[in-house]
Short mmCIF file of all heavy atoms in Angstrom, two decimals:
data_model
loop_
_atom_site.label_atom_id
_atom_site.label_comp_id
_atom_site.label_asym_id
_atom_site.label_seq_id
_atom_site.Cartn_x
_atom_site.Cartn_y
_atom_site.Cartn_z
N SER A 95 5.57 -9.34 -25.29
CA SER A 95 4.98 -10.44 -24.54
C SER A 95 6.08 -11.25 -23.85
O SER A 95 5.82 -11.98 -22.92
CB SER A 95 4.17 -11.35 -25.46
OG SER A 95 4.97 -11.74 -26.56
N GLY A 96 7.30 -11.10 -24.31
CA GLY A 96 8.41 -11.82 -23.71
C GLY A 96 9.29 -10.85 -22.94
O GLY A 96 8.89 -10.25 -21.96
N THR A 97 10.50 -10.68 -23.43
CA THR A 97 11.43 -9.74 -22.79
C THR A 97 10.85 -8.33 -22.88
O THR A 97 10.26 -7.96 -23.87
CB THR A 97 12.77 -9.74 -23.54
OG1 THR A 97 13.17 -11.08 -23.75
CG2 THR A 97 13.82 -9.00 -22.78
N TYR A 98 11.06 -7.59 -21.82
CA TYR A 98 10.59 -6.21 -21.82
C TYR A 98 11.20 -5.45 -22.99
O TYR A 98 12.37 -5.56 -23.26
CB TYR A 98 11.02 -5.53 -20.51
CG TYR A 98 10.46 -6.21 -19.29
CD1 TYR A 98 11.23 -7.10 -18.56
CD2 TYR A 98 9.16 -5.96 -18.87
CE1 TYR A 98 10.73 -7.73 -17.44
CE2 TYR A 98 8.65 -6.59 -17.75
CZ TYR A 98 9.44 -7.46 -17.04
OH TYR A 98 8.93 -8.08 -15.93
N LYS A 99 10.37 -4.68 -23.66
CA LYS A 99 10.85 -3.90 -24.81
C LYS A 99 10.01 -2.63 -24.90
O LYS A 99 8.78 -2.69 -24.81
CB LYS A 99 10.69 -4.71 -26.09
CG LYS A 99 11.27 -4.04 -27.32
CD LYS A 99 11.20 -4.94 -28.54
CE LYS A 99 9.83 -4.95 -29.14
NZ LYS A 99 9.80 -5.68 -30.42
N TYR A 100 10.68 -1.52 -25.05
CA TYR A 100 9.97 -0.25 -25.09
C TYR A 100 9.83 0.25 -26.51
O TYR A 100 10.73 0.11 -27.33
CB TYR A 100 10.75 0.85 -24.35
CG TYR A 100 10.98 0.64 -22.88
CD1 TYR A 100 11.89 1.44 -22.22
CD2 TYR A 100 10.32 -0.32 -22.14
CE1 TYR A 100 12.13 1.30 -20.87
CE2 TYR A 100 10.56 -0.48 -20.78
CZ TYR A 100 11.47 0.33 -20.16
OH TYR A 100 11.70 0.19 -18.82
N ILE A 101 8.71 0.92 -26.77
CA ILE A 101 8.59 1.76 -27.95
C ILE A 101 8.43 3.19 -27.45
O ILE A 101 7.61 3.45 -26.56
CB ILE A 101 7.43 1.31 -28.87
CG1 ILE A 101 7.34 2.18 -30.10
CG2 ILE A 101 6.12 1.24 -28.16
CD1 ILE A 101 6.37 1.65 -31.16
N PHE A 102 9.23 4.09 -27.99
CA PHE A 102 9.24 5.47 -27.51
C PHE A 102 8.42 6.38 -28.40
O PHE A 102 8.34 6.19 -29.62
CB PHE A 102 10.68 6.01 -27.49
CG PHE A 102 11.49 5.56 -26.31
CD1 PHE A 102 12.13 4.34 -26.32
CD2 PHE A 102 11.61 6.38 -25.19
CE1 PHE A 102 12.89 3.93 -25.24
CE2 PHE A 102 12.37 5.97 -24.10
CZ PHE A 102 13.01 4.75 -24.12
N GLY A 103 7.85 7.41 -27.79
CA GLY A 103 7.29 8.51 -28.56
C GLY A 103 8.41 9.45 -28.97
O GLY A 103 9.57 9.27 -28.57
N THR A 104 8.06 10.45 -29.75
CA THR A 104 9.07 11.40 -30.23
C THR A 104 9.47 12.39 -29.15
O THR A 104 10.46 13.09 -29.27
CB THR A 104 8.57 12.19 -31.44
OG1 THR A 104 7.27 12.68 -31.14
CG2 THR A 104 8.50 11.32 -32.67
N GLY A 105 8.71 12.44 -28.09
CA GLY A 105 9.07 13.34 -27.00
C GLY A 105 8.38 14.68 -27.09
O GLY A 105 7.95 15.12 -28.17
N THR A 106 8.27 15.34 -25.97
CA THR A 106 7.82 16.74 -25.90
C THR A 106 8.99 17.56 -25.39
O THR A 106 9.51 17.28 -24.32
CB THR A 106 6.62 16.91 -24.97
OG1 THR A 106 5.49 16.27 -25.51
CG2 THR A 106 6.31 18.40 -24.76
#
Side-chain angles (χ1 to χ4, degrees):
Chain A
S95 53
T97 312
Y98 300 98
K99 185 175 79 173
Y100 298 167
I101 181 170
F102 281 83
T104 49
T106 292

